[in-house]
Amino acid sequence: MKIKEIAELVGGEIVGAPSDDEYEVVKAFASDLMSDVLRFSMDETVLITGLCNNQTMRTSEMADLRVVLIGRDKQPDAEMLELAEDSGITIIKSKYSIFKISGILYAAGIQPLY
Amino acid sequence: MHYTFDIERGNFTDAGQASSSVKRTLKQLGVDPANIKRTVVALFEAEINAVAHAYGGKIDVDIDGEKIVMVVADEGPGIPNLDLAMQEGWSTASAKVREMGYGAGMGLPNIKKNTDDLKIDTKVGVGTTVTMTVYLT
Ligand SMILES: Nc1ncnc2c1ncn2[C@@H]1O[C@H](COP(=O)(O)OP(=O)(O)O)[C@@H](O)[C@H]1O
Ligand SMILES: [Mg+2]
């Protein structure tokens, strides 16, 4: 699924690095614990999280994530957006809860990591 | 090649900067993505630990064609029981550290998993030095 389709499904807004229209998202992982994100391969994966700070971006950078979906209507600050742009990470921000976002994407065919 | 970075005490805003800069360097050097990932994941977890559990310190990274050696040395409380600290899920992280998204107790086990060699020298009341080696072949 394309990044823009995901954004549409969760009523989201795209910020951070511009979305790569070629990038295909196959899987999703939901976590507020950054060390857990670093335990798995994040290939073709969108991270769904309610953690909205610099460490969300640093962790995503280390994990080779290309797209991060921030739920619960959290607002990334200017520094976070700059980190996202520097490391080429697209942020989708959504007002929905993590549970709702996960349900919508699962129903639309996005796979769990495990 | 040798690189040095300072880790500032209590600075959670900038924590991870050194790992980010090492990641860029490894990319420029043309190291393969799988080795870059395990190297920076290990370094990042060690860098975060030096901010989260100690009072900052210093990172030294040496890269040659064969291996990457990373030394993260902090001044801090040290680790009283290393066997316990190496267990998945064991954490003494503060509320502030948890707020930043850490404190799952998965850092040290994941460092072990991602590196080919791990050595931890720690002295209670003095500090901790984590030496990690990744072989590139
Ligand atoms: N550099 C350090 N200085 C002091 N204690 C540390 C250090 N690194 C790790 N520890 C101790 O080991 C525990 C486990 O570390 P880790 O596996 O990275 O999990 P976490 O950082 O999530 O707590 C920490 O909670 C802390 O008690
Ligand atoms: Mg840790």
Side-chain angles (χ1 to χ4, degrees):
Chain A
M1 190 180 291
K2 302 289 188 227
I3 294 172
K4 281 185 176 143
E5 290 175 62
I6 293 177
E8 220 164 276
L9 282 172
V10 300
E13 185 190 333
I14 289 176
V15 293
S19 90
D20 174 353
D21 292 335
E22 302 297 304
Y23 191 66
E24 198 57 45
V25 177
V26 178
K27 296 168 282 183
F29 185 63
S31 180
D32 283 0
L33 284 173
M34 294 301 106
S35 292
D36 276 341
V37 175
L38 294 171
R39 288 167 59 207
F40 306 104
S41 161
M42 291 288 145
D43 286 351
E44 304 177 308
T45 302
V46 55
L47 170 66
I48 305 168
T49 186
L51 188 81
C52 185
N53 60 34
N54 282 2
Q55 293 309 321
T56 313
M57 288 301 113
R58 286 288 184 214
T59 302
S60 300
E61 181 190 354
M62 299 309 144
D64 290 331
L65 276 154
R66 300 279 305 279
V67 51
V68 175
L69 206 172
I70 297 179
R72 286 188 227 128
D73 203 19
K74 305 273 183 200
Q75 301 301 325
D77 63 14
E79 205 177 335
M80 229 180 114
L81 294 177
E82 201 183 307
L83 282 175
E85 277 168 38
D86 285 351
S87 40
I89 298 167
T90 302
I91 299 174
I92 303 170
K93 52 175 195 160
S94 165
K95 290 187 166 53
Y96 299 169
S97 69
I98 303 303
F99 181 72
K100 183 164 173 176
I101 291 166
S102 302
I104 290 170
L105 296 186
Y106 188 87
I110 296 286
Q111 299 289 308
L113 268 199
Y114 61 89
Chain B
M1 265 156 297
H2 181 88
Y3 304 88
T4 312
F5 306 90
D6 282 321
I7 312 171
E8 244 180 272
R9 176 174 186 157
N11 187 342
F12 250 119
T13 314
D14 291 338
Q17 242 175 29
S19 304
S20 172
S21 150
V22 168
K23 184 172 184 184
R24 274 157 219 249
T25 302
L26 295 178
K27 261 192 192 165
Q28 276 162 14
L29 290 173
V31 175
D32 68 290
N35 276 327
I36 292 180
K37 171 140 191 218
R38 64 192 191 104
T39 300
V40 300
V41 163
L43 182 60
F44 183 69
E45 286 285 6
E47 184 180 357
I48 294 294
N49 278 351
V51 179
H53 308 298
Y55 322 132
K58 197 178 151 225
I59 299 179
D60 285 287
V61 181
D62 279 284
I63 307 169
D64 62 33
E66 229 170 59
K67 62 184 184 308
I68 304 168
V69 181
M70 301 167 279
V71 182
V72 180
D74 69 51
E75 286 170 22
I79 306 174
N81 186 337
L82 198 52
D83 287 338
L84 206 52
M86 289 304 300
Q87 277 179 25
E88 292 193 352
W90 168 261
S91 176
T92 62
S94 65
K96 185 171 174 247
V97 169
R98 286 173 201 274
E99 233 168 69
M100 294 305 294
Y102 301 102
M106 299 307 296
L108 289 174
N110 205 21
I111 291 173
K112 174 120 190 107
K113 201 183 91 189
N114 280 287
T115 54
D116 297 308
D117 193 59
L118 169 64
K119 196 167 125 254
I120 301 175
D121 294 307
T122 185
K123 201 163 172 220
V124 172
V126 179
T128 302
T129 299
V130 179
T131 305
M132 302 163 283
T133 306
V134 167
Y135 290 102
L136 293 172
T137 39

